[in-house]
Amino acid sequence: MSQSHQDGEEVEKAIRKDEKVVRQDDVAEPKSRTLAKTIQDALARLISDGPIEERGVMPVALEDRTATNYSSYFSIWACMNINLLPITFGMLGPIYGLSLRDCSLVILFFCLLTAAIPAYLGILGPKTGLRQMIQARFSFGRYLVSVPVILNLATLTGFCVITCVIGGQCLSAVAGGSLTPAVGIAIMGVLALLISFCGYKVLHQYERFAWIPALIAIIITTGCGGSGLREQAPTEPATAGGVLSFGMIIASYMIPYACLSSDFTTYLNPKFSSLRLFLYGYAGLVFPSVLLMVLGAAIGGALTSIPEWQEGYDTTQVGGVLAAMLSRAGGFGKFVVVVLSLTLLGNISATMYSITLNFQILIPQLVVVPRYIFSIVITAIVIPVSIKAAVEFFASLENFIALIGYWSAAFVAVLIVEHNVFRGGRYDTYDHDSWNVASRLPWGVAALLSSALSFGLVIPSMSQVWFEGPIAEMSGDIGFEMAFAVTAVLYLPLRFLEKRLSGR
């Protein structure tokens, strides 16, 4: 019995000796899988060793808020505004029957008034370490904040569409028709993707210097076409309706910036003076916006008086007008138009950066997805939408503006009242341990209800192509003023009641 058992063991040993053990490493992977893994590893190394920001909406701890380039708060706003976008908004002024003088006064007053809002909210970034829409959770709550986030995503995407269309039209105008606006739009979208993909550090470095060639190109354009700016079309005396309706355009340009202000300041050292930081941001918003909107109003007022400008506008709209202004400079003028189109990258890339953060706030489960992935997603959305919007650009622009000024005014009213009244201006009340915990955050009912109820007076105060309310018929469009004031007034008692019922 024992002998047979020993014989069996010897046989098994012999079999094992002849067997070849096949490990997982010995299995040849398909070439396609090997290539994909190589690309994945290379991308991972680039992200870990390079300047690409992976952090999304997670709060920035105090020890990580070490950046001291405080002037970047000026340069990023300056770069976002020293381009063709404010010129385009300024060109809408003559549509409301306003002369160049009247347009200039409206632009100056409403820019000085509304630019204070985004400049102010930006100073909360270094103090709290929270992105702008994460700060909103401390008034709108963990779940109801999704409503303003969706509206903000639509607003920011709309601005990206506008800037892509303007840039694409400029590139098409330079090419004389051989390059369609659709191709130009695609080029602008892809270039903006490269910057927004990298994130905070690369964005700030780009914005720090990109406004310089943009300013030079705009000065050259003004010099070449300056003599034509005197050919202003005659206008009737200004009306209250025209003034306030154009003022709404300016407010709709400026106030939505408040929904992303803190996104650009969360890494700054909080020890820096809040007043000085505010002044940096305010200057970066006001100076370029006022000057370039006035330039846009001058171009819009002279458009019908100069056949070449009108022909360029009819062909490729804003880009065609600028190409006509620079036509006397020949080939150099075409180069300047290309530079003008590229000036828009500062605005598109910064806006795309904020959009990537808003995706993660809207769907909290997406926090685990790296921020830069959403840069690709939003680019894939913006390019086809821009191509469609380019067909009727100014009609699309007016319709878009009609939807953004009102809600954003109500939104910022809630944030300002919450911070100064209910939190006493104390930054330590924005607890990093609570930002993603619904039971530690307000319900958000007071914020959402006060914003929604304000539209009981906003709608009658609206004056749009497709609707004019009874209040607006007498006064002009005062919708954004109503949204801000009524929301602030309603939020006070509703929030007191919510705090009493919820204890938070």
Side-chain angles (χ1 to χ4, degrees), residues 96 245 248 398-399 402-403 406 455-473 476-479:
Y96 296 95
S245 294
M248 185 277 299
E398 285 187 89
N399 291 333
L403 300 175
Y406 309 125
F455 277 77
L457 283 175
V458 169
I459 293 174
S461 305
M462 291 168 53
S463 178
Q464 301 298 328
V465 175
W466 40 270
F467 175 79
E468 186 174 29
I471 297 177
E473 289 177 358
D477 193 320
I478 56 172

Side-chain angles (χ1 to χ4, degrees), residues 6 15 28 31 39 122 151 176 178 193 204 206 259 285 289 343 354 367 378 385 405 422 434 489 492 497:
Q6 289 178 355
I15 293 173
K31 289 185 177 180
I39 295 174
L151 293 171
S178 59
L193 167 64
H204 273 275
Y206 176 82
C259 301
L285 285 161
S289 297
T343 63
S354 285
V367 171
I378 190 58
V385 173
F422 295 99
S434 304
V489 170
L492 288 168
L497 179 61

Side-chain angles (χ1 to χ4, degrees), residues 133 144-154 358-359 361-362 407:
M133 281 296 172
L144 293 184
V145 76
S146 298
V147 175
V149 168
I150 290 172
L151 293 171
N152 193 39
L153 279 170
N358 276 251
F359 270 121
I361 301 171
L362 179 63
W407 86 263

Side-chain angles (χ1 to χ4, degrees), residues 156-417:
L156 297 180
T157 303
F159 271 110
C160 286
V161 168
I162 292 171
T163 46
C164 276
V165 169
I166 299 170
Q169 288 173 342
C170 285
L171 293 176
S172 178
V174 170
S178 59
L179 181 75
T180 65
V183 176
I185 288 169
I187 293 172
M188 293 297 296
V190 171
L191 291 176
L193 167 64
L194 298 177
I195 302 171
S196 64
F197 184 91
C198 294
Y200 184 90
K201 290 183 179 179
V202 171
L203 177 66
H204 273 275
Q205 287 299 318
Y206 176 82
E207 306 277 356
R208 186 177 180 182
F209 301 105
W211 64 273
I212 299 174
L215 180 61
I216 294 171
I218 291 171
I219 291 173
I220 292 172
T221 304
T222 306
C224 288
S227 58
L229 297 177
R230 293 177 293 184
E231 306 294 330
Q232 295 292 307
T235 59
E236 297 292 329
T239 63
V243 168
L244 290 171
S245 294
F246 185 46
M248 185 277 299
I249 297 292
I250 307 303
S252 296
Y253 174 87
M254 195 67 73
I255 294 178
Y257 281 140
C259 301
L260 48 85
S261 296
S262 287
D263 295 348
F264 306 138
T265 59
T266 49
Y267 289 94
L268 294 178
N269 193 313
K271 294 181 180 179
F272 188 68
S273 166
S274 294
L275 176 60
R276 287 181 61 187
L277 190 64
F278 169 83
L279 292 175
Y280 277 141
Y282 191 68
L285 285 161
V286 168
F287 289 133
S289 297
V290 169
L291 294 175
L292 295 182
M293 284 184 182
V294 170
L295 175 60
I299 294 171
L303 195 61
T304 56
S305 304
I306 304 175
E308 293 81 4
W309 292 15
Q310 185 66 57
E311 182 182 353
Y313 172 79
D314 294 337
T315 306
T316 48
Q317 297 180 347
V318 179
V321 176
L322 295 170
M325 292 175 67
L326 287 160
S327 59
R328 66 171 65 181
F332 177 71
K334 293 183 177 181
F335 168 75
V336 174
V337 176
V338 173
V339 175
L340 287 172
S341 67
L342 297 180
T343 63
L344 292 161
L345 291 177
N347 192 290
I348 308 174
S349 55
T351 307
M352 282 186 171
Y353 174 74
S354 285
I355 290 175
T356 63
L357 302 173
N358 276 251
F359 270 121
Q360 294 182 324
I361 301 171
L362 179 63
I363 306 175
Q365 290 77 8
L366 295 179
V367 171
V368 298
V369 180
R371 180 206 57 80
Y372 50 82
I373 296 297
F374 298 107
S375 295
I376 302 172
V377 174
I378 190 58
T379 303
I381 295 172
V382 164
I383 290 175
V385 173
S386 301
I387 292 172
K388 179 66 176 176
V391 178
E392 293 287 342
F393 174 62
F394 271 98
S396 301
L397 177 59
E398 285 187 89
N399 291 333
F400 166 68
I401 290 171
L403 300 175
I404 63 175
Y406 309 125
W407 86 263
S408 54
F411 171 77
V412 297
V414 169
L415 265 60
I416 292 173
V417 173

